[in-house]
Amino acid sequence: MKVVVFETEEWEHQACLRLKPAHELSCTREPLDARTAAAHADAEIVSTFVNSKLGADVLAQFPSLKLIATRSTGFDHIDLGWCAAHGVAVANVPDYGDSTVAEHAFALLLAVARNLVEAVERTRRGNFSQAGLRGFELRGKTLGVIGTGRIGRRAIEIARGFGMTVIAHDLYPDADAASRVGFCYADLDEVLAAADALTLHVPATPGSASLISDREFGLMKPGAILINTARGNVVDVPALVRALSDGRLRAAGLDVLPQEPLIREEAQIFREAWTEGHDLKALVANHVLLRFPNVIVTPHNAYNTESAVRRIIETTLENIEAFVRGEPRNLVTHG
């Protein structure tokens, strides 16, 4: 088959060479979008990361497409309805980063709890004053966890190791995990009211969009911390700016933001094709957040460890090979 792998680094290209000579392979550093699709329109299998946007306008340019192998757990960048209607299967990587993402969530939590960024920047300037750097310890605090899938459960295990009490919310509670690890479930409002720190581990779905907004921030304990390593649109960013500005929240640690590609390449705002489907208010709020001294933003980097990215490419290649053998695995939609 004709296989095209988008958004590849050199080491990924080398790993993908195992698909040859059984398949015709192309690798490119560029994301798949309306601009780059035409050059690869004969592809039967495409593999992308989350920076590619596989909407109907892009997918329609691939008349022979049979499989999309996304190198991610999330698949909100793919129009699944179009794929199902046109017989295109979609496979993901369901469990590459449980520990990786959960550990990053705690890296953010510890960084804001102990004012690490300011402390490091201060000492690099030769200033060893401790003024304004007093933090707080995690032991004895309550962690609220929204979403208790693989990553959420791993975050809970880490929290228990720190001596934290955990209260969680999930649409599908796992009573066995709660008993085994040592946490309790409650409705969302109870979790918000009890949490000293709130960490989000839910997928991007229509139901999770702006899950945390003005109402939810109003219910949170004054001085609480928000951690988001899930998806940017789970949090209403203008509402987050308001909660930080009025002192409701102590701090936030964010690995994801809505409109992330536009933060990376703001010139896109001025392209004619950009005009629909984007929220300028959220984009402005992102830039405001980047300037808050009590907010830490990392560049969607929670997944990015050597072991995790190796698992991603290995699972993706296995997904492609299994599909070709007629034994598809890790399918999000069967096409």
Side-chain angles (χ1 to χ4, degrees), residues 146-148 169-170 200-205 208 211 228-231 234:
I146 310 301
T148 57
H169 175 72
D170 196 292
L200 307 178
H201 300 289
V202 296
T205 66
S208 68
L211 178 67
N228 187 12
T229 55
R231 282 291 188 265
V234 173

Side-chain angles (χ1 to χ4, degrees), residues 8-325:
T8 54
E9 297 180 8
E10 179 56 32
W11 73 268
E12 291 174 302
H13 186 179
Q14 293 301 313
C16 289
L17 291 178
R18 87 182 205 193
L19 296 175
K20 300 177 70 173
H23 306 286
E24 182 182 348
L25 174 70
S26 297
C27 293
T28 175
R29 287 183 173 271
E30 294 186 304
L32 173 55
D33 54 29
R35 180 181 59 86
T36 59
H40 306 282
D42 58 343
E44 296 169 279
I45 297 174
V46 299
S47 176
T48 72
F49 192 52
V50 296
N51 297 319
S52 293
K53 300 303 177 187
L54 283 68
D57 59 328
V58 172
L59 295 173
Q61 299 186 52
F62 294 91
S64 301
L65 188 61
K66 297 178 175 62
L67 172 69
I68 299 169
T70 183
R71 301 195 302 282
S72 62
T73 299
F75 40 81
D76 51 298
H77 56 297
I78 303 169
D79 187 335
L80 296 184
W82 189 97
C83 292
H86 292 82
V88 176
V90 178
N92 73 338
V93 184
D95 56 2
Y96 70 89
D98 305 358
S99 294
T100 302
V101 176
E103 288 172 10
H104 192 85
F106 268 83
L108 292 171
L109 177 55
L110 287 165
V112 296
R114 302 305 298 268
N115 300 303
L116 286 184
V117 173
E118 170 59 25
V120 170
E121 290 179 350
R122 187 179 295 185
T123 55
R124 281 178 174 169
R125 297 192 301 265
N127 178 358
F128 282 75
S129 169
Q130 298 174 355
L133 295 182
R134 183 166 297 160
F136 66 89
E137 60 190 40
L138 300 186
R139 184 175 181 82
K141 299 297 191 299
T142 297
L143 180 70
V145 179
I146 310 301
T148 57
R150 293 184 180 92
I151 297 171
R153 290 196 301 271
R154 181 65 187 127
I156 292 170
E157 292 171 353
I158 295 171
R160 297 295 291 147
F162 273 99
M164 302 184 79
T165 298
V166 178
I167 182 171
H169 175 72
D170 196 292
L171 295 177
Y172 307 99
D174 186 337
D176 290 340
S179 175
R180 183 178 67 255
V181 181
F183 68 95
C184 64
Y185 281 103
D187 65 35
L188 178 60
D189 289 359
E190 288 181 81
V191 174
L192 294 171
D196 296 297
L198 185 73
T199 182
L200 307 178
H201 300 289
V202 296
T205 66
S208 68
S210 296
L211 178 67
I212 308 299
S213 191
D214 286 306
R215 188 192 80 87
E216 289 71 30
F217 286 124
L219 293 172
M220 290 179 70
K221 182 183 294 187
I225 291 172
L226 175 71
I227 304 296
N228 187 12
T229 55
R231 282 291 188 265
N233 70 349
V234 173
V235 175
D236 180 337
V237 179
L240 174 56
V241 169
R242 289 189 286 271
L244 289 162
S245 297
D246 65 19
R248 163 65 59 173
L249 287 187
R250 177 189 182 106
L254 311 170
D255 187 54
V256 287
L257 292 168
Q259 315 284 332
E260 282 177 23
L262 294 178
I263 300 174
R264 298 188 188 98
E265 189 181 348
E266 291 181 335
Q268 291 187 43
I269 297 171
F270 302 101
R271 294 176 182 165
E272 291 183 8
W274 185 85
T275 55
E276 296 183 3
H278 294 277
D279 186 347
L280 276 174
K281 190 174 182 179
L283 182 61
V284 171
N286 287 342
H287 283 276
V288 173
L289 285 176
L290 292 172
R291 291 166 174 79
F292 271 97
N294 56 341
V295 174
I296 294 177
V297 178
T298 53
H300 207 145
N301 198 53
Y303 77 96
N304 194 15
T305 63
E306 290 183 6
S307 54
V309 297
R310 288 288 176 188
R311 286 193 292 269
I312 290 171
I313 196 66
E314 286 300 316
T315 302
T316 299
L317 294 175
E318 290 167 6
N319 286 345
I320 291 172
E321 291 166 338
F323 179 83
V324 173
R325 290 196 307 268

